[in-house]
Amino acid sequence: MDHFSFINGALHAEGVPLATIAAEVGTPVYVYSRATLERHARVFQESLSGLERTHFAFAIKANPNLSVLSVLAKCGFGADVVSGGEVSRAISAGMKPGDIVFSGVGKTRGELQAALDKGVGQFNIELEEEGIVLSALAAAMGRKAVAVLRVNPDVDAGTHAKISTGMKENKFGVPIDQAGAIYTRLSALPGLDMRGVALHIGSQIFDLGPLEAAYAKLGGFAMDLRAQGLTVDRIDLGGGLGVPYKRDEVPPPPADYGRMVERVSKGWDVTLMFEPGRVIVGNAGVLLTEVIWVKPGVTHPWVIVDAAMNDLARPAMYDAWHDFEAVVPTGERMVANIAGPVCESGDTFAKARDIDVVRSGDLAVFRTAGAYGATMANTYNSRALVPEVMVDGDKWAIVAHRVEPETLIAAEPLPDWLLG
Ligand code: LLP
């Protein structure tokens, strides 16, 4: 459920006509709905309210916009981060350093040190050597870093290969059959306070079965550690819940997820940690675009829009589907291909899609663009970096400016020996 709906035949974000935003900010532009963000945050938290101790860390890679993070911080979310830049963003948006979980398979020594300096609450260790280095850095400060070990449970999440992370051939976590020995050795280090285990098996997961299997495996492993006298008081269950990208898709209801977690974690007696990304922000954003041309094609016309693969990379990267809708639909339909202006055939959002009839100059949206949208944008073909707007009732504001090519050009100095 989201707050993008038609009022008098025109698509609105909450109380604001998208046409108003396009007229004032230009296109392409991402538009987020605060009410939708808050609703998704609340539904997710409520689905897990039967659990005794929980910690919610929004995976900010899904949408690191400061205003989005600020809304979620007010909803009680901390952050799951994977880089020094994300640590800085989470803190800038008002998240408490102690509520930040630092994940990621390639944290540099510099990033580990900076995170210790800033008081990041938990480190999710991905390999033994990282733990040894983190221990040395923390011990040198006379401290112990709170950490958990990310375990690779070798479970197929049943999602796209490029967003699967929990199979043994993936780069993430330590193999579950070696994790016990590694956890034991890390627990003995002077600069680490080993508190438990973590996993994350993939993203856009629709079937709760693999999640439950992975959680059960991780829980069983954690209880074995505890039986050996090791401390285990946190289990981080990662993120991964899918969202509907097509109008008729039915994702797993949050309540079913909550019941599954309650069932599988019975008796663990730990703080359960969650790192949702997409499920919180996915349907809280659209990418608003203008049709530049409708170009005749051999089989179907090409609707060429002013958004491109550099603004929304998901279709080009994962063959992802995003619903496309006219902002003021006429009621007529057509079958068309939809593409952006970038000089690659991969810059195609849809092929042979049944869509609203659109003409040159019409506005349209790609739906479900709030997660992994603007955050993955780039400036390929020297296009501007796409701006972002947030709507709150009938108010709206630019929450990320368009970065024009002129600004990017100004950041590229020519060496002396090329001048003249
Ligand atoms: N925790 C960890 C350690 C992760 O690696 C991720 C996502 C999450 C949590 C959040 O997962 P979510 O709840 O959003 O599924 N760019 C891809 C998705 C990449 C996900 C990477 N990791 C896409 O556009 O589909």
Side-chain angles (χ1 to χ4, degrees):
M1 145 86 205
D2 61 57
H3 292 263
F4 295 92
S5 49
F6 287 93
I7 304 175
N8 296 329
L11 190 57
H12 284 57
E14 304 190 23
V16 179
L18 289 178
T20 303
I21 295 170
E24 297 197 29
V25 185
T27 52
V29 55
Y30 279 91
V31 181
Y32 307 129
S33 150
R34 177 179 182 172
T36 311
L37 288 170
E38 289 174 341
R39 184 189 147 78
H40 291 177
R42 196 174 56 245
V43 168
F44 188 82
Q45 288 167 323
E46 280 173 6
S47 75
L48 297 160
S49 58
L51 300 167
E52 224 168 275
R53 278 169 285 143
T54 47
H55 179 269
F56 298 105
F58 172 60
I60 81 173
K61 63 172 81 72
N63 191 323
N65 180 275
L66 286 190
S67 299
V68 170
L69 299 185
S70 161
V71 168
L72 296 175
K74 291 185 208 325
C75 294
F77 275 75
D80 168 68
V81 304
V82 291
S83 70
E86 287 192 348
V87 172
S88 300
R89 274 184 180 273
I91 294 173
S92 300
M95 284 161 169
K96 293 195 207 77
D99 288 341
I100 297 176
V101 173
F102 198 173
S103 301
V105 70
K107 308 177 198 79
T108 65
R109 287 154 179 81
E111 285 175 318
L112 290 170
Q113 181 64 59
L116 284 169
D117 291 341
K118 290 177 178 173
V120 160
Q122 176 178 301
F123 293 82
N124 288 13
I125 294 174
E126 293 258 0
L127 70 163
E128 184 167 9
E129 195 180 355
E130 180 194 351
I132 294 169
V133 169
L134 177 62
S135 170
L137 294 174
M141 300 165 78
R143 299 225 318 253
K144 273 179 179 284
V146 172
V148 304
L149 181 63
R150 178 165 176 182
V151 174
N152 184 321
D154 193 24
V155 170
D156 183 351
T159 185
H160 192 285
K162 285 189 185 163
I163 53 176
S164 286
T165 51
M167 285 179 284
K168 61 174 184 285
E169 61 270 30
N170 298 132
K171 68 179 173 181
F172 299 100
V174 299
I176 193 156
D177 53 352
Q178 297 166 29
I182 294 174
Y183 194 89
T184 306
R185 290 195 291 270
L186 291 178
S187 295
L189 295 180
L192 290 187
D193 179 11
M194 291 304 295
R195 301 287 286 276
V197 289
L199 60 62
H200 172 76
I201 64 167
S203 195
Q204 186 56 10
I205 298 171
F206 256 57
D207 180 0
L208 294 180
L211 280 175
E212 181 163 6
Y215 293 175
K217 227 169 162 176
L218 184 72
F221 167 71
M223 294 307 111
D224 286 350
L225 293 178
R226 187 184 277 162
Q228 292 164 40
L230 296 159
T231 302
V232 176
D233 63 11
R234 298 179 177 196
I235 296 186
D236 184 339
L237 298 178
L241 279 187
V243 301
Y245 280 96
K246 293 182 185 163
R247 195 168 287 277
D248 54 354
E249 267 177 343
V250 185
D256 288 4
Y257 178 70
R259 272 191 294 274
M260 180 275 275
V261 174
E262 275 182 41
R263 183 169 65 239
V264 77
S265 68
K266 223 178 188 59
W268 287 357
D269 189 25
V270 292
T271 298
L272 284 174
M273 308 181 70
F274 299 89
E275 302 171 352
R278 189 188 317 262
V279 74
I280 306 295
V281 290
N283 280 308
V286 299
L287 175 58
L288 178 58
T289 186
E290 186 177 308
V291 177
I292 308 176
W293 312 111
V294 179
K295 179 183 174 189
V298 176
T299 44
H300 303 291
W302 288 93
V303 172
I304 310 286
V305 293
D306 66 1
M309 65 190 285
N310 68 299
D311 305 302
L312 177 62
R314 303 193 68 260
M317 277 187 79
Y318 320 109
D319 295 319
W321 177 291
H322 287 263
D323 274 343
F324 179 83
E325 270 179 324
V327 166
V328 183
T330 60
E332 303 156 274
R333 308 286 295 175
M334 67 198 241
V335 175
N337 306 321
I338 308 166
V342 161
C343 296
E344 296 214 22
S345 292
D347 184 23
T348 300
F349 292 107
K351 283 275 188 70
R353 182 86 71 88
D354 177 18
I355 58 169
D356 294 321
V357 165
V358 285
R359 297 183 180 84
S360 168
D362 285 352
L363 293 172
V365 293
F366 291 102
R367 289 264 196 172
T368 319
Y372 307 107
T375 180
M376 290 172 68
N378 59 67
T379 60
Y380 185 41
N381 278 203
S382 290
R383 289 167 54 83
L385 198 58
V386 61
E388 298 161 84
V389 159
M390 185 179 286
V391 172
D392 178 5
D394 50 18
K395 297 194 294 280
W396 64 274
I398 293 175
V399 294
H401 288 288
R402 186 187 311 282
V403 180
E404 299 289 356
E406 288 66 28
T407 308
L408 300 167
I409 292 166
E412 293 177 26
L414 280 180
D416 289 350
W417 37 268
L418 275 182
L419 291 173

